[in-house]
Amino acid sequence: MIRYILKKYFLIFICLLLSACSGTRHLPKGEKLYTGAKIKLASNTKINDKGSIKAMAENAMRPLPNKKILGMRPRLWMYMKAGENPESKFKKWLKKNGEAPVLISSVKPGVTAAIIDAKLFNVGIFRSITQYEIVEKKRTASIIYTSQIHKPFIIKEVLYAVSDDSINQLILSEKDKSLLLPGNDYNLNQLKTERIRIDNLLKNKGYFYFNPDFLVFKADTSDLNQNVTLRLTLKEDIPEEALSVYKISNVYIDQDYSLDEASLERKKETYNYEGYAFNGLETDMKIRPKVILKSVYLKNNEIYSRENHNITLNRLMSMGNYKFVRIQFSENTSAPRFLDVKILMTPMSKHTFRAAFDLVSKSNNYMGPRMNIGFLNRNTFNGGELLNLNMAGSFEAQFFGKGKDLYSYSWNPQIELYFPRFLLPFAIKRSNSIYIPKTRFSISYNYLKRVDYFDMNTFQFIYGFKWKKNIKIEHELNPVNISYTSISNKSDAFNELLNANPFLKKSYEEQFIAGANYSLIYNQQVLTEKKIQYYLNFTSEIAGNMFTLVKAIGGEQVSSENPSRVIGSVYSQFVRLSADGRTYYNFRNKNKMVLRLFAGLAMPYDNSAVLPYAKQFFSGGPNSIRAFRINSVGPGTYNQNVENKGFLQLGGDVKMEMNAEYRFTIYRFFKGALFVDAGNVWLLQSNPSDLGSAFSFSSFSKEVAVGAGFGIRIDVSFFILRFDLAAPLRKPWLEENQRWVADKISLGSSSWRSDNLVLNVAIGYPF
């Protein structure tokens, strides 16, 4: 009932949103609404990369027109509807939150044309001419800019004429890494980037006071061949210290630095450890000096290096024990060309207690409260270890519908301990990564009560590592991942369901898993300036091989018909692979297009006939195919009736999903989305229970479920509440020639809405 009401008002809201007027009827007399500009490039010769040149010119277009949503301008309509001098509170709110019209009279196309020519000059088009034309309609006007361009000038050669011989030799030593290559187009931004690259090179070689502004590129152009010769020189009157190499003299480390001005004057005792001076007595050290020094790469008497500077700063911050880390440098008064270093660390509170309570609502109409209580110790053994004690509990039930008598509850205590280093029985070389590696130990227990079905107890132990190569690449390896699940208090209804479905029964029997897993995440979303960002999450898992090897050495033959046991339980043996790839295309107006492809394959073998239930793939739900209820799609052409099965759904060995979502801003933190989802799960081979068709490359495309919908998101950065309303377009369990059901959509029919519309309420974006 609650979900039905939400869906009803969600539809009403969408209709109101789409019916918003354009706002052009109330413009001042004689004025026209500016709707934007287009640019055309004209040339007498063929130009290869017109796309990037056009994009450069488009960045110069100002002002921006009023924002449009699905062809409408709701914020402009709000502003105009409020009137010139609103009196009521509602109209004042409309005025405040609306958007004033951008009028053609406020546009200065002559100025914009000059800026376009300046932008084109920066990419090697030195003699462009931009003209404009105003295109007027009844209530609107737009502008067409036409730029007459030529081929960009290319770089003929780069000459190095730096007056300081030592600096010149350093630059020449890494000339092969230069971004300025003969034959490339001239580009001002590339020149700036090259100066920064050279500055970083010099900073890593001890030139502490050098600055990229001290480097000057002089250009000599040839109109005949349309090329340019670049000559790198030093700016005149550079300070002497900028041309000098500096070394590290003394390193002072303060673990208890405060931003309080009084603390700056407070004198502290000094404790010396391996040549480093720690502020405070030995007994005052919150984290042992030996642990701190694993992240300090600035060493006495070594040449200053910006790389070591950044590694030190980032590794100390990534320990998770400090609010701020600052590194101050000052010249040593008694030793010329030497720097004293102060590493100032402001600690976080050692202990943190947190509690969270929320209400979970699933698309299969189950809902209920969830609570999470946690305690964090950031320095458990005085080595920067993070101890996390967590207790979670939840309750869910279907208060309306066919499953209203079914409910479940669970509680899940967990202990996690992180060490800021690799804990291994052998030594490994220290990495130069700016991110500190971590070793993780985790012990957890989960009790799940499915009333009128069963009780489930799960114990899990994990020993593993997390580390980052750089800001984009993250690894996680768990060489030991052991879980044991036991099911008790099985009801007659549950046993009857299992007996009727041997596949499901087998899935619940094999619940002892001992193996290892690895995941790799490549994420370009941290590079916020990139127009196109890529994301890849590859995971792999293998289990049971060690037990099978031991059995084989002992002369025991392992097979799924007569599976072997460990500690009285059948152990699972399988391999599981998955890849989640995404592309984020960022538009100039901050809207975004997201494409996602997920592929997963898992295969049981030797001691196992089917995958454990927890390792199967599922499809459908708020982060999957949103037009179908959670975990209700497949396998293959099988039709799952979630209401009749209660909490149980069927998974598969193979999963393929594709998603496309266009995200746009409605108003400030109020976002919208249009999306299409497609996919399914399959078994690798036919099952006696006739659970749909097995996966086949020749037929799987005919068994894909498809859905589409509209979403509203409240995005306040630290919290995202998502509402996605979707309907199926293709149902794979129907007869092959009747699977497309888009022609049966009937929003006016309450029975159609009840059977087909799915409202997903979730936290965070789906991908």
Side-chain angles (χ1 to χ4, degrees):
M1 185 65 178
I2 295 175
R3 189 169 289 273
Y4 170 77
I5 294 172
L6 285 172
K7 286 193 290 187
K8 179 179 178 181
Y9 283 99
F10 195 82
L11 278 173
I12 294 173
F13 171 79
I14 293 172
C15 293
L16 289 173
L17 180 67
L18 295 178
S19 65
C21 297
S22 63
T24 59
R25 295 181 181 179
H26 305 286
L27 291 173
K29 187 176 181 179
E31 289 284 5
K32 296 181 185 293
L33 185 72
Y34 172 65
T35 58
K38 294 182 180 179
I39 187 162
K40 295 181 179 180
L41 301 179
S43 175
N44 296 326
T45 58
K46 183 180 179 181
I47 297 177
N48 295 326
D49 196 11
K50 272 192 174 182
S52 62
I53 296 173
K54 186 176 181 180
M56 174 71 70
E58 287 175 342
N59 288 332
M61 293 182 184
R62 293 292 185 274
L64 297 177
N66 291 100
K67 294 179 181 178
K68 295 173 67 175
I69 300 172
L70 303 176
M72 303 295 178
R73 302 180 184 89
R75 290 189 62 192
L76 172 61
W77 176 85
M78 291 166 60
Y79 185 92
M80 302 303 292
K81 193 69 175 176
E84 188 66 28
N85 297 303
E87 295 181 359
S88 68
K89 289 185 178 180
F90 177 67
K91 286 194 173 183
K92 287 181 179 179
W93 180 87
L94 287 177
K95 192 82 170 181
K96 180 181 178 181
N97 293 281
E99 185 179 72
V102 180
L103 304 175
I104 189 64
S105 60
S106 67
V107 182
K108 298 178 180 179
V111 174
T112 301
I115 296 174
I116 290 174
D117 288 333
K119 292 281 187 181
L120 295 175
F121 187 93
N122 292 340
V123 293
I125 303 173
F126 299 140
R127 299 190 304 273
S128 66
I129 300 175
T130 301
Q131 298 174 320
Y132 64 89
E133 175 190 1
I134 299 177
V135 180
E136 297 187 0
K137 294 184 180 180
K138 185 177 180 180
R139 293 193 180 100
T140 62
S142 60
I143 300 176
I144 297 176
Y145 295 95
T146 302
S147 295
Q148 186 69 37
I149 64 173
H150 55 77
K151 285 185 177 180
F153 276 56
I154 63 172
I155 298 173
K156 179 183 178 182
E157 61 179 334
V158 181
L159 304 176
Y160 297 91
V162 176
S163 56
D164 186 281
D165 289 339
S166 298
I167 292 178
N168 200 56
Q169 289 301 316
L170 279 174
I171 295 173
L172 290 174
S173 69
E174 294 197 6
K175 182 181 176 182
D176 58 327
K177 297 180 181 179
S178 174
L179 304 175
L180 307 176
L181 302 177
N184 285 0
D185 292 346
Y186 171 90
N187 189 301
L188 180 62
N189 287 333
Q190 206 167 53
L191 264 63
K192 293 178 180 179
T193 305
E194 175 68 2
R195 291 199 312 172
I196 293 172
R197 184 194 70 82
I198 294 174
D199 178 64
N200 287 334
L201 166 65
L202 298 177
K203 287 285 200 313
N204 284 331
K205 299 299 181 180
Y207 290 88
F208 179 80
Y209 289 106
F210 199 83
N211 189 297
D213 290 338
F214 297 156
L215 297 167
V216 178
F217 280 103
K218 296 180 179 180
D220 182 14
T221 60
S222 170
D223 290 338
L224 179 64
N225 299 315
Q226 283 194 289
N227 59 37
V228 56
T229 297
L230 298 173
R231 183 184 300 271
L232 179 65
T233 63
L234 282 181
K235 189 177 180 180
E236 296 181 1
D237 301 325
I238 297 177
E240 181 184 350
E241 59 265 23
L243 303 177
S244 302
V245 175
Y246 282 78
K247 291 185 177 182
I248 303 298
S249 177
N250 302 303
V251 180
Y252 302 94
I253 300 174
D254 188 349
Q255 291 192 55
D256 197 21
Y257 174 74
S258 172
L259 298 178
D260 185 359
E261 291 295 329
S263 68
L264 299 178
E265 305 298 329
R266 188 174 72 243
K267 293 184 178 181
K268 301 180 180 179
E269 298 289 341
T270 300
Y271 168 61
N272 291 299
Y273 181 84
E274 294 187 357
Y276 292 84
F278 285 81
N279 284 340
L281 301 174
E282 182 178 2
T283 54
D284 296 332
M285 298 296 104
K286 294 185 177 181
I287 297 179
R288 294 189 300 275
K290 180 180 180 181
V291 176
I292 295 293
L293 292 183
K294 288 181 181 293
S295 296
V296 176
Y297 283 62
L298 297 169
K299 299 187 179 299
N300 300 336
N301 297 316
E302 287 190 358
I303 291 176
Y304 168 82
S305 165
R306 173 62 65 83
E307 181 180 0
N308 289 341
H309 178 173
N310 290 333
I311 291 174
T312 300
L313 192 63
N314 283 276
R315 286 175 72 98
L316 290 172
M317 280 298 297
S318 66
M319 287 179 65
N321 299 87
Y322 302 101
K323 293 179 185 178
F324 310 104
V325 176
R326 297 174 58 195
I327 301 181
Q328 292 181 347
F329 295 88
S330 60
E331 291 195 44
N332 190 304
T333 54
S334 59
R337 305 293 182 262
F338 274 84
L339 298 170
D340 287 335
V341 181
K342 287 184 179 180
I343 301 176
L344 308 173
M345 300 180 286
T346 303
M348 292 183 179
S349 175
K350 181 177 180 180
H351 301 125
T352 298
F353 176 82
R354 63 186 183 278
F357 179 84
D358 55 17
L359 184 66
V360 179
S361 175
K362 298 182 179 178
S363 57
N364 58 3
N365 294 328
Y366 284 89
M367 63 180 64
R370 180 176 59 189
M371 175 170 276
N372 195 310
I373 300 173
F375 172 79
L376 178 65
N377 185 329
R378 290 189 173 86
N379 190 23
T380 310
F381 307 119
N382 294 330
E385 302 87 358
L386 302 179
L387 175 64
N388 188 13
L389 306 178
N390 196 70
M391 171 66 76
S394 65
F395 173 88
E396 66 176 43
Q398 190 179 104
F399 297 98
F400 305 95
K402 298 177 182 179
K404 64 181 180 180
D405 294 329
L406 297 175
Y407 62 93
S408 73
Y409 56 87
S410 67
W411 58 282
N412 173 214
Q414 183 182 36
I415 301 175
E416 285 185 307
L417 182 60
Y418 287 92
F419 291 84
R421 54 194 174 276
F422 286 125
L423 284 184
L424 292 166
F426 50 87
I428 60 174
K429 184 179 179 181
R430 186 167 72 157
S431 167
N432 283 339
S433 169
I434 64 174
Y435 301 97
I436 195 165
K438 295 185 178 181
T439 300
R440 174 193 179 207
F441 292 91
S442 174
I443 300 175
S444 64
Y445 166 73
N446 185 66
Y447 172 77
L448 174 63
K449 175 73 174 181
R450 300 290 199 196
V451 176
D452 294 333
Y453 271 68
F454 58 79
D455 293 355
M456 180 183 290
N457 297 275
T458 302
F459 297 88
Q460 186 175 36
F461 171 75
I462 297 175
Y463 161 61
F465 314 99
K466 290 184 177 182
W467 72 98
K468 296 182 73 169
K469 181 179 180 181
N470 52 48
I471 194 173
K472 297 178 293 185
I473 301 175
E474 183 175 359
H475 304 267
E476 180 174 353
L477 172 65
N478 296 314
V480 179
N481 189 340
I482 301 172
S483 66
Y484 174 76
T485 301
S486 64
I487 299 177
S488 59
N489 297 329
K490 298 179 183 178
S491 68
D492 293 339
F494 181 63
N495 285 323
E496 183 179 343
L497 180 61
L498 294 183
N499 292 332
N501 193 324
F503 173 80
L504 193 62
K505 182 178 182 179
K506 199 73 173 174
S507 300
Y508 273 93
E509 283 180 352
E510 302 186 6
Q511 296 288 298
F512 181 54
I513 305 171
N517 59 67
Y518 167 77
S519 69
L520 165 68
I521 295 178
Y522 176 79
N523 184 11
Q524 288 188 340
Q525 285 187 280
V526 293
L527 307 176
T528 55
E529 299 302 318
K530 280 184 67 69
K531 186 174 184 178
I532 301 177
Q533 302 162 326
Y534 297 100
Y535 172 93
L536 173 65
N537 184 359
F538 171 78
T539 63
S540 61
E541 183 174 5
I542 191 166
N545 287 356
M546 185 61 68
F547 292 142
T548 295
L549 178 62
V550 172
K551 299 284 185 182
I553 293 175
E556 182 179 342
Q557 188 172 0
V558 173
S559 69
S560 58
E561 290 79 14
N562 185 26
S564 295
R565 295 175 178 268
V566 174
I567 60 173
S569 178
V570 174
Y571 67 86
S572 297
Q573 190 169 9
F574 63 88
V575 61
R576 190 178 191 270
L577 305 171
S578 68
D580 184 351
R582 310 170 194 173
T583 300
Y584 299 85
Y585 187 92
N586 300 288
F587 296 95
R588 288 178 57 205
N589 57 5
K590 296 187 179 180
N591 293 349
K592 184 176 295 187
M593 185 71 190
V594 186
L595 303 175
R596 173 180 177 261
L597 174 63
F598 181 94
L601 170 66
M603 184 174 64
Y605 59 94
D606 287 352
N607 206 55
S608 295
V610 302
L611 289 171
Y613 189 77
K615 299 300 179 181
Q616 295 173 11
F617 294 106
F618 295 90
S619 188
N623 298 314
S624 181
I625 309 177
R626 285 161 280 186
F628 298 86
R629 291 178 171 83
I630 189 167
N631 299 345
S632 67
V633 180
T637 56
Y638 185 72
N639 183 11
Q640 292 200 52
N641 188 328
V642 177
E643 283 82 6
N644 287 345
K645 285 189 177 62
F647 297 100
L648 305 179
Q649 296 91 34
L650 299 174
D653 307 318
V654 179
K655 178 177 178 177
M656 294 190 69
E657 276 187 6
M658 295 158 284
N659 310 82
E661 180 169 288
Y662 177 66
R663 300 170 183 170
F664 53 90
T665 300
I666 298 174
Y667 174 66
R668 292 186 181 176
F669 57 82
F670 205 48
K671 314 288 185 179
L674 297 171
F675 57 84
V676 178
D677 307 316
N680 205 337
V681 296
W682 293 266
L683 297 174
L684 278 175
Q685 57 187 0
S686 298
N687 189 278
S689 299
D690 191 26
L691 298 179
S693 53
F695 179 80
S696 169
F697 282 104
S698 61
S699 62
F700 83 92
S701 61
K702 301 176 183 178
E703 300 166 0
V704 170
V706 182
F710 179 88
I712 294 292
R713 290 86 190 273
I714 301 173
D715 184 351
V716 288
S717 298
F718 62 90
F719 177 81
I720 299 169
L721 180 61
R722 173 164 55 96
F723 301 89
D724 286 337
L725 184 67
L729 302 179
R730 196 170 193 274
K731 299 178 179 180
W733 58 81
L734 299 178
E735 293 295 327
E736 188 170 335
N737 60 349
Q738 299 178 5
R739 290 173 182 171
W740 285 104
V741 294
D743 58 339
K744 295 181 174 59
I745 293 177
S746 178
L747 291 174
S749 169
S750 60
S751 61
W752 181 90
R753 294 196 303 268
S754 177
D755 293 338
N756 293 275
L757 281 183
V758 176
L759 178 62
N760 298 275
V761 183
I763 303 296
Y765 285 106
F767 41 81

